[in-house]
Amino acid sequence: MSAAAPDWQALRQEAVRAAQLAYAPYSGLQVGVAGLVDDGRLVTGCNVENASYGLGLCAECTMAGQLRLSGGGRLVAVACRSGAGDLLMPCGRCRQILFELGGASCLVDTPSGVLPMSQVLPDAFGPADLPG
Ligand code: THU
């Protein structure tokens, strides 16, 4: 299924709104992410930290759960923002998670403009590399 062209302003606004719901008592950095799905749905996530620091969940991880729980599909565009509205780039692990769920063509809001995952995570390892 193909979605309409991403409304980047709406995606960024939803990312900020999600960030403001974060649980980030340790780092103090609220992170939110919003993703457009190929059926037109919008899914969001926020970081959820833990007193055992290494167990904290990035915003992209909780968005991955929301994607599945709300009906699945493929991510076509993603924006990540702080609670203050600053653009944030997904960390390396989260780029891999976005690649899994959106593939090389998924668009990402970056400081250099909107770029495809193929540039945000070049030569990514992915499902196509597995046998069978
Ligand atoms: N964080 C995310 O939620 N996503 C990222 O891609 C990078 C980092 C969170 C993890 C932690 O709760 C906080 O930002 C500070 O590192």
Side-chain angles (χ1 to χ4, degrees):
M1 200 179 298
S2 65
D7 180 344
W8 286 103
Q9 284 312 113
L11 270 183
R12 291 167 185 144
Q13 188 177 323
E14 286 305 310
V16 175
R17 193 199 306 269
Q20 290 172 350
L21 297 171
Y23 176 70
Y26 306 110
S27 74
L29 179 63
Q30 297 180 306
V31 183
V33 65
L36 176 66
V37 187
D38 60 357
D39 64 2
R41 277 164 33 241
L42 201 146
V43 290
T44 57
C46 64
N47 56 333
V48 180
E49 298 185 344
N50 195 283
S52 179
Y53 295 167
L55 300 185
L57 304 175
C58 282
E60 294 84 344
C61 297
T62 64
M63 182 179 74
Q66 287 297 317
L67 174 70
R68 295 305 309 169
L69 289 163
S70 64
R74 302 284 293 166
L75 293 171
V76 297
V78 171
C80 186
R81 295 270 158 161
S82 74
D86 296 317
L87 188 154
L88 298 171
M89 282 300 286
C91 71
R93 178 174 186 267
C94 290
R95 294 181 197 199
Q96 190 73 42
I97 287 169
L98 296 177
F99 182 78
E100 180 75 24
L101 300 171
S105 63
C106 178
L107 300 173
V108 182
D109 196 24
T110 85
S112 315
V114 171
L115 296 176
M117 275 303 304
S118 56
Q119 290 183 50
V120 171
L121 189 66
D123 303 315
F125 176 85
D129 294 305
L130 295 174

